[in-house]
Amino acid sequence: MSVFNFDIIAESTTTRARAGVIQTARGKVETPVFMPVGTLGTVKSLTPDELTSAGAQIILGNTYHLYLRPGCDVIEQFDGLHKFISWKGPILTDSGGFQVFSLAKLANITEEGVTFQSHIDGSRHLLTPEKAIDIQTCLGSDIIMCLDNCIQHPASHAQTRQALEITSRWAKRCKVAWQAGVNGHNAIFGIVQGGMFKDLREASSEALIAQDFNGFAIGGLSVGEPVETMLEIADFTLPKLPNEKPKYIMGTGTPEDLVELVALGADMFDCVLPTRNARNGQIFRQQGTLNISNAKYRHDTRPLETGCACYTCCNYSRAYLRHLFLAKELLAYRLNSLHNVYFFLNLMKQMREAILADDFESFRKDFYKTLNN
Amino acid sequence: MSVFNFDIIAESTTTRARAGVIQTARGKVETPVFMPVGTLGTVKSLTPDELTSAGAQIILGNTYHLYLRPGCDVIEQFDGLHKFISWKGPILTDSGGFQVFSLAKLANITEEGVTFQSHIDGSRHLLTPEKAIDIQTCLGSDIIMCLDNCIQHPASHAQTRQALEITSRWAKRCKVAWQAGVNGHNAIFGIVQGGMFKDLREASSEALIAQDFNGFAIGGLSVGEPVETMLEIADFTLPKLPNEKPKYIMGTGTPEDLVELVALGADMFDCVLPTRNARNGQIFRQQGTLNISNAKYRHDTRPLETGCACYTCCNYSRAYLRHLFLAKELLAYRLNSLHNVYFFLNLMKQMREAILADDFESFRKDFYKTLNN
């Protein structure tokens, strides 16, 4: 039996937002939660200590990347990713599906799995549902994701149906492989596909629910569709998933997306936005983003965001951060990332507090008021 | 009157090594001391907190770099470099002389000063002794260096003599400019030049001593000459300088250089070696360097250096650091830098303890025994 558990402790009476607690073998996660992305075993430029200080409870590792580099043979030496990267909290790993279809070359699908060429050295690999579970088990992941067949956007109804049907059959094989393993310490989540078609999202949800996963993710969103479409599909799909299970929207999104998706009942999120944009000089703030390279910050002695309690804002000015960024100093990427990650984590915390106080609607109003001021 | 003070608290009876305390307006510095280099207002990739944890007491800022970027107009907004970069301890700034002659384009010397073109945007500037003091005063430096005329190696006796004579006249003007300023809170050091010629080193020393600086630096070493020559010139020059003043060897060196130069009576050092080499994957250790990209570390679960108390060694393995380095992850440069800086600072601390115990000779023997084992 898995130690994994999910309890809802508060629900908004005016939206579908809810606050919960996920229990894992490596500790609790309070939801709604944002998971910083540690693609290659590092949330780019930051240490685990900094992530913890910023409020991170759980991070994400990418199976595709870690399988190719450094490889499972290395991570096995450390009994998994946690000890290898020195992160003590829970880790969720994706299945590699998304990267195989977006990053790798010549991905070729059969019923068995997907063959692809590494984007690093062109070496050929076969990723099957069973292998995706094996790799994630080797990584010591606390939340394992099923292998899914991700498609390009836009895609036809027929293509999308075919992909979701393979995804459903692979999910079944993933569950079997996971159950056959020695693990009782982790959880397995299914991934709903179905593109931008509601009937297919419904069919995918039903197929996965029948297999009783520990949680359910919605994949294939934020792939280039308009925000309205993304929200419409999430709005349609989230209620189809069992309320007593965590609901995870993969690879999303902007602060506005997160607020809207929490309102629609989503519990978990991951996105490279805070770290990637930090490295490009874009800073997230309640008042909206700023680009630190802008000449108007040359003499600006204020922190990135007035009132922000992050390490960067407590110690550094816009003028200094602009100087570091223009000089391409490594510290720039780090201090910007620290602020952005803190901003995302703090936004989730604020939403959770609003849900606990059953005050989510006024939080949302204030959020947009500050943003557009 | 300056608060600057230097006390020698112990002297080795078998070498010229000595341990002292430099008092500055921003706190004490225990010597012999290594000063991490914060060229552009950041010791590359590290925060001031990390430097302090690693044992840094004083850091160096480069006048040439900071004058060009972000410029004094920006740093003035913060009443100097300390607040701008969030470093509370003492800062020594160089005069810009070395960079004008090594980095800038078309450096052209007259008695007045040196004109040069920025290596960044080609803009033309004139650096005079008075301006070098002005800039360093604006930076709020705790230890100001005189503008010196640095020459290429090798150089003829005549060229070298000419350069040191300009350096001496500039030193006089620097002292006058410094005295005329509002500052009583900082110190000013003269820089001995004279290339690889002992008679010129002696002449330069005498000219500077006549002007009674707070401390004396030896410049123009580690510029491409054999180590033996560097040590021979240092061995010759160091005793010519007043023993009651701090003696600073600029831009040096390897751990072996530091041990030898401390034995010869030097008190202060700065070098980019620990941080630059860290970014290239070279790790300093008591047993000698290792290159973290080496395939033999692929599965190595040991820290970079067994027994090392630095943050990197306390938390990470060679296998992880190799993975980060090969993946060009920003965290690699940071964790490697942290170890190397710690190594240099700890080496100085060990030397100081050996001097205090009048045990420097056996420390030196052990140092080479471990290194060559």
Side-chain angles (χ1 to χ4, degrees):
Chain A
M1 211 193 90
S2 170
V3 296
F4 186 87
N5 187 49
F6 178 57
D7 284 314
I8 295 168
I9 61 169
E11 291 176 281
S12 162
T13 51
T14 56
T15 68
R16 295 206 299 264
R18 69 240 197 108
V21 178
I22 295 172
Q23 183 67 55
T24 77
R26 287 192 178 82
K28 277 191 253 188
V29 176
E30 296 184 331
T31 64
V33 66
F34 180 81
M35 304 180 284
V37 179
T39 306
L40 274 157
T42 160
V43 175
K44 290 190 190 302
S45 85
L46 303 178
T47 60
D49 290 339
E50 285 169 332
L51 291 167
T52 301
S53 298
Q57 310 176 71
I58 174 170
I59 62 172
L60 187 140
N62 285 124
T63 291
Y64 170 84
H65 287 99
L66 292 164
Y67 166 71
L68 294 179
R69 280 194 301 198
C72 288
D73 58 318
V74 171
I75 296 174
E76 260 173 0
Q77 299 280 117
F78 295 83
D79 301 321
L81 197 53
H82 298 77
K83 209 172 136 198
F84 184 59
I85 73 173
S86 209
W87 168 259
K88 293 183 178 67
I91 294 176
L92 180 148
T93 47
D94 66 6
S95 65
F98 182 76
Q99 281 78 21
V100 164
F101 295 106
S102 61
L103 266 186
K105 297 176 215 159
L106 301 175
N108 184 30
I109 298 189
T110 63
E111 190 60 34
E112 186 189 7
V114 50
T115 55
F116 64 93
Q117 280 194 314
S118 159
H119 72 291
I120 304 164
D121 62 6
S123 57
R124 291 202 67 78
H125 301 271
L126 167 64
L127 185 63
T128 63
E130 292 77 14
K131 188 157 182 186
I133 300 302
D134 271 1
I135 300 170
Q136 292 178 79
T137 302
C138 161
L139 295 175
S141 174
D142 299 285
I143 301 178
I144 283 177
M145 302 302 294
C146 289
L147 183 64
D148 54 343
N149 180 2
C150 302
I151 50 172
Q152 289 191 318
H153 174 79
S156 71
H157 191 275
Q159 286 172 317
T160 310
R161 172 182 291 279
Q162 194 177 20
L164 93 81
E165 286 174 351
I166 290 185
T167 298
S168 300
R169 291 192 295 272
W170 284 357
K172 204 165 187 173
R173 284 165 56 190
C174 283
K175 181 85 189 285
V176 170
W178 177 74
Q179 281 175 317
V182 289
N183 260 287
H185 288 298
N186 55 28
I188 185 167
F189 280 26
I191 305 177
V192 175
Q193 290 290 349
M196 307 306 155
F197 303 100
K198 290 182 183 172
D199 61 325
L200 299 184
R201 286 285 174 182
E202 184 161 18
S204 180
S205 301
E206 283 170 4
L208 292 175
I209 293 165
Q211 293 169 49
D212 190 30
F213 287 103
N214 299 107
F216 295 89
I218 300 180
L221 290 182
S222 292
V223 289
E225 76 282 12
V227 176
E228 299 69 34
T229 307
M230 184 272 285
L231 291 174
E232 193 185 328
I233 296 296
D235 186 20
F236 175 82
T237 311
L238 283 163
K240 306 281 179 236
L241 300 171
N243 278 330
E244 70 277 13
K245 298 288 174 72
K247 304 178 186 187
Y248 164 27
I249 311 276
M250 302 186 82
T252 300
T254 64
E256 298 92 305
D257 292 345
L258 298 181
V259 170
E260 292 312 309
L261 290 167
V262 165
L264 295 175
D267 306 299
M268 301 168 68
F269 305 92
D270 79 279
C271 196
V272 295
L273 210 61
T275 43
R276 178 176 293 165
N277 291 21
R279 297 195 305 281
N280 293 324
Q282 192 185 45
I283 305 299
F284 287 95
R285 301 178 314 147
Q286 292 189 349
Q287 298 81 2
T289 58
L290 70 74
N291 194 308
I292 197 60
S293 63
N294 197 311
K296 72 180 170 188
Y297 302 125
R298 180 168 161 79
H299 296 96
D300 198 331
T301 58
R302 291 174 296 172
L304 291 174
E305 182 167 23
T306 308
C308 175
C310 85
Y311 177 81
T312 303
C313 287
C314 288
N315 289 283
Y316 300 99
S317 64
R318 295 176 191 178
Y320 181 62
L321 294 164
R322 176 177 184 271
H323 161 63
L324 291 181
F325 187 75
L326 292 184
K328 297 186 172 59
E329 281 287 346
L330 293 170
L331 191 58
Y333 310 121
R334 182 179 163 188
L335 294 176
N336 291 350
S337 295
L338 205 45
H339 171 82
N340 277 357
V341 166
Y342 178 88
F343 177 83
F344 272 65
L345 295 169
N346 195 46
L347 175 64
M348 303 311 290
K349 195 177 157 198
Q350 289 172 328
M351 284 200 267
R352 190 171 200 273
E353 283 163 9
I355 298 165
L356 291 176
D358 198 9
D359 205 22
F360 190 79
E361 265 310 302
S362 63
F363 166 84
R364 181 153 67 157
K365 267 186 210 127
D366 289 347
F367 172 83
Y368 284 109
K369 204 173 149 190
T370 310
L371 189 64
N372 300 316
N373 224 351
Chain B
M1 210 194 89
S2 170
V3 297
F4 186 88
N5 187 51
F6 178 57
D7 285 315
I8 295 168
I9 60 169
E11 290 176 283
S12 162
T13 51
T14 56
T15 67
R16 296 205 299 265
R18 70 241 197 107
V21 178
I22 295 173
Q23 184 67 53
T24 78
R26 288 194 177 81
K28 277 193 252 186
V29 176
E30 297 184 331
T31 64
V33 64
F34 180 81
M35 304 180 283
V37 179
T39 306
L40 274 156
T42 160
V43 175
K44 289 190 190 303
S45 85
L46 303 179
T47 61
D49 290 339
E50 285 169 333
L51 290 167
T52 302
S53 299
Q57 308 175 72
I58 175 172
I59 62 172
L60 187 139
N62 285 123
T63 291
Y64 170 85
H65 286 100
L66 292 164
Y67 166 71
L68 295 179
R69 281 194 301 197
C72 288
D73 59 318
V74 171
I75 295 173
E76 261 173 359
Q77 299 280 118
F78 296 83
D79 301 321
L81 197 53
H82 298 76
K83 208 172 135 198
F84 184 58
I85 72 172
S86 210
W87 168 258
K88 294 184 178 65
I91 294 176
L92 180 147
T93 47
D94 65 7
S95 65
F98 182 77
Q99 280 78 21
V100 164
F101 295 106
S102 60
L103 265 188
K105 296 176 216 161
L106 302 173
N108 185 30
I109 297 189
T110 64
E111 190 60 34
E112 186 189 8
V114 50
T115 54
F116 64 93
Q117 281 194 311
S118 160
H119 73 291
I120 302 165
D121 63 5
S123 56
R124 290 202 68 78
H125 301 269
L126 167 65
L127 186 63
T128 63
E130 292 76 14
K131 187 156 181 185
I133 300 301
D134 272 0
I135 300 171
Q136 293 178 78
T137 302
C138 162
L139 295 176
S141 175
D142 299 285
I143 301 178
I144 283 177
M145 302 301 297
C146 289
L147 183 64
D148 54 342
N149 180 1
C150 302
I151 50 173
Q152 288 191 320
H153 174 80
S156 70
H157 192 276
Q159 287 172 317
T160 310
R161 172 183 292 280
Q162 194 176 21
L164 92 81
E165 287 175 350
I166 289 185
T167 297
S168 301
R169 292 192 294 272
W170 285 356
K172 205 166 188 173
R173 285 166 56 192
C174 283
K175 181 87 190 283
V176 170
W178 176 75
Q179 281 174 318
V182 290
N183 260 289
H185 288 299
N186 55 27
I188 186 166
F189 280 26
I191 305 177
V192 175
Q193 290 289 349
M196 307 305 153
F197 302 99
K198 290 182 184 171
D199 60 326
L200 300 183
R201 287 285 174 183
E202 184 160 19
S204 180
S205 301
E206 284 169 3
L208 292 175
I209 292 165
Q211 294 170 48
D212 189 29
F213 287 102
N214 299 106
F216 295 90
I218 300 180
L221 290 183
S222 293
V223 290
E225 77 281 13
V227 176
E228 298 69 33
T229 308
M230 184 273 285
L231 291 174
E232 192 184 331
I233 296 296
D235 186 20
F236 175 82
T237 312
L238 282 163
K240 307 281 179 235
L241 300 171
N243 277 330
E244 68 278 15
K245 298 287 173 76
K247 304 179 186 186
Y248 164 27
I249 310 275
M250 302 186 82
T252 301
T254 63
E256 299 92 305
D257 292 345
L258 298 181
V259 170
E260 293 311 309
L261 291 166
V262 165
L264 295 173
D267 305 300
M268 300 168 69
F269 305 92
D270 79 280
C271 198
V272 295
L273 209 60
T275 43
R276 179 176 292 165
N277 291 20
R279 297 196 305 282
N280 293 323
Q282 193 185 46
I283 306 299
F284 287 95
R285 302 178 313 147
Q286 294 190 349
Q287 298 81 3
T289 58
L290 70 74
N291 193 308
I292 197 59
S293 63
N294 197 309
K296 72 180 169 188
Y297 302 125
R298 180 169 160 79
H299 294 96
D300 198 331
T301 59
R302 290 174 297 171
L304 291 174
E305 182 168 24
T306 307
C308 174
C310 85
Y311 178 80
T312 302
C313 287
C314 288
N315 288 283
Y316 301 100
S317 64
R318 296 175 189 178
Y320 182 61
L321 294 164
R322 176 177 185 271
H323 162 64
L324 291 181
F325 187 77
L326 292 184
K328 299 186 171 59
E329 281 288 346
L330 293 169
L331 191 58
Y333 311 120
R334 183 180 164 187
L335 294 176
N336 291 350
S337 296
L338 205 45
H339 170 83
N340 277 357
V341 166
Y342 178 90
F343 177 83
F344 273 64
L345 295 169
N346 195 46
L347 175 64
M348 303 312 290
K349 195 177 158 199
Q350 289 172 328
M351 285 199 269
R352 190 171 201 272
E353 283 163 8
I355 298 165
L356 291 175
D358 198 8
D359 206 21
F360 190 79
E361 264 311 302
S362 62
F363 165 84
R364 180 153 67 157
K365 266 186 211 130
D366 289 347
F367 171 83
Y368 285 109
K369 204 173 148 191
T370 309
L371 189 63
N372 301 316
N373 225 351

